[in-house]
Amino acid sequence: PEMIEVPNVVGKTTREAVAALEDAGLDPAHNVPDALLDRTRVTGQSPAAGSKQRRGTTVALSASLQF
């Protein structure tokens, strides 16, 4: 199976993070409502940035509102 290096998306908006992970061939998972995708920033991700994962692996994102 093709292995992909997980990009670092911590600090990006949730919308930017989702796009970056999808572009890399990964499956982002988060619980941010669509209306808040541009107002939340990713504070954590699992698996970690730089790790090698199979294409389609789910990357769990945690995010918080930015004020």
Side-chain angles (χ1 to χ4, degrees):
E2 183 181 359
M3 301 301 278
I4 297 166
E5 184 172 328
V6 178
N8 182 11
V9 295
V10 173
K12 295 184 180 296
T13 67
T14 304
R15 186 181 305 278
E16 291 168 339
V18 166
L21 292 168
E22 288 176 344
D23 287 351
L26 299 164
D27 179 27
H30 62 85
N31 59 2
V32 177
D34 286 350
L36 297 178
L37 288 176
D38 293 317
R39 295 181 52 209
T40 52
R41 293 240 175 231
V42 174
T43 56
Q45 67 181 82
S46 178
S51 65
K52 301 278 191 192
Q53 303 295 327
R54 284 191 174 102
R55 177 175 293 283
T57 293
T58 298
V59 178
L61 302 176
S62 51
S64 64
L65 269 174
Q66 53 188 13
F67 295 98

